[in-house]
Amino acid sequence: MTVAAAGALAAQTAMQHSDRIPEFHLPNWTSAGLATIAGVASVIDGDTIEIHGQRIRFNGIDAPESQQLCKNASGADYPCGRRSAQALDTFLAASKPVQCTFVTWDRYHRFVGDCQRADGASVGAWMVEHGQAIDWPRYSHGAYAAQQGKAEAAKVGLWVGKFQAPWERRAGHGDNAQPAVSQPLGTISRQQVAQSYSCQPRRKCSQISSCDEAQWYLSNCPWGGKLDRDGDGQACETLC
């Protein structure tokens, strides 16, 4: 498959996770025409990691939000979002590095991909089979239904008690507009958050979520000057 053909295929599938199609510029094209990112991953939450400063959302699964609580077998609350992130961190640490193959960009400019450990184990399949995430049929089309059936039957992870589907919780908390910046397993600084920004794909003010993000693009990207139309040094003034 040529680069041009692969780009067309990516654009065709981009609406899976996006309300609008951003410009595509995919690094590290393989001979198969698919973009990949490989490296040691930092865990953001149970369905999102970061490699080389690029946020990556696992395709087809959804994990509890970082601050989400679920019910255990006794009916008591426990931090299922935190537990999911910790389980992912332990799983990824056992076989480094992680490699993710591009599927699409989502509306928050995250790389959505299918990820594997160095030993070939599927991250999404493991998370669902161990009850630390659930199959998201809207995007997976049931790809992880078998693993979810095993987890539910064994009553492991989330299935030990009761929980709200993460996508339902986000809708109920008004989180569809823009997710809050998730905390990795350790405390992160403002500078570390900025490292998740990237000059690709190119963005417009309507695609940027904060004043700090806009200023980062202005200072670091060759196209950033177009975000400061009046030349006063302030990018995307409606955000600031």
Side-chain angles (χ1 to χ4, degrees):
M1 182 182 295
T2 67
V3 170
L9 178 61
Q12 184 179 2
T13 60
M15 288 304 293
Q16 178 187 29
H17 287 262
S18 176
D19 292 335
R20 56 182 176 269
I21 301 176
E23 298 175 33
F24 285 83
H25 182 82
L26 305 181
N28 191 24
W29 289 92
T30 67
S31 59
L34 297 177
T36 60
I37 294 179
V40 177
S42 298
V43 172
I44 305 302
D45 57 29
D47 54 36
T48 307
I49 59 175
E50 185 174 297
I51 299 176
H52 304 316
Q54 174 65 58
R55 289 289 171 95
I56 300 168
R57 179 68 158 80
F58 300 143
N59 182 50
I61 72 170
D62 206 5
E65 297 297 296
S66 295
Q67 304 302 319
Q68 187 169 343
L69 299 177
C70 300
K71 301 288 186 182
N72 62 21
S74 302
D77 288 340
Y78 75 96
C80 54
R82 186 77 175 176
R83 195 78 57 83
S84 173
Q86 290 171 337
L88 175 61
D89 189 59
T90 300
F91 174 69
L92 296 182
S95 181
K96 302 176 183 179
V98 178
Q99 178 168 298
C100 299
T101 301
F102 178 83
V103 174
T104 187
W105 294 104
D106 73 5
R107 74 176 93 179
Y108 309 121
H109 316 299
R110 290 174 301 187
F111 176 117
V112 178
D114 293 318
C115 300
Q116 296 182 328
R117 294 193 314 189
D119 61 3
S122 165
V123 178
W126 188 92
M127 289 293 287
V128 174
E129 188 168 348
H130 288 78
Q132 299 301 333
I134 58 176
D135 179 58
W136 197 351
R138 178 180 177 185
Y139 299 117
S140 72
H141 306 294
Y144 300 107
Q147 289 86 352
Q148 182 159 300
K150 291 180 181 179
E152 188 173 4
K155 296 188 182 300
V156 296
L158 296 168
W159 301 101
V160 74
K162 296 181 179 180
F163 65 94
Q164 184 179 29
W167 57 82
E168 293 178 356
R169 184 182 184 275
R170 288 192 297 273
H173 286 71
D175 292 340
N176 283 332
Q178 175 68 30
V181 175
S182 302
Q183 291 283 336
L185 295 182
T187 302
I188 60 175
S189 68
R190 185 172 177 178
Q191 181 180 4
Q192 288 173 310
V193 170
Q195 290 175 353
S196 68
Y197 302 149
S198 170
C199 289
Q200 296 295 344
R202 180 173 171 171
R203 294 168 176 80
K204 300 177 181 179
C205 288
S206 61
Q207 299 170 314
I208 297 173
S209 61
S210 70
C211 183
D212 285 342
E213 183 181 4
Q215 285 301 112
W216 189 91
Y217 297 137
L218 176 62
S219 300
N220 294 278
C221 301
W223 47 264
K226 293 191 176 182
L227 302 177
D228 179 18
R229 293 188 177 183
D230 58 7
D232 67 351
Q234 184 67 61
C236 301
E237 292 182 348
T238 56
L239 295 174
C240 301

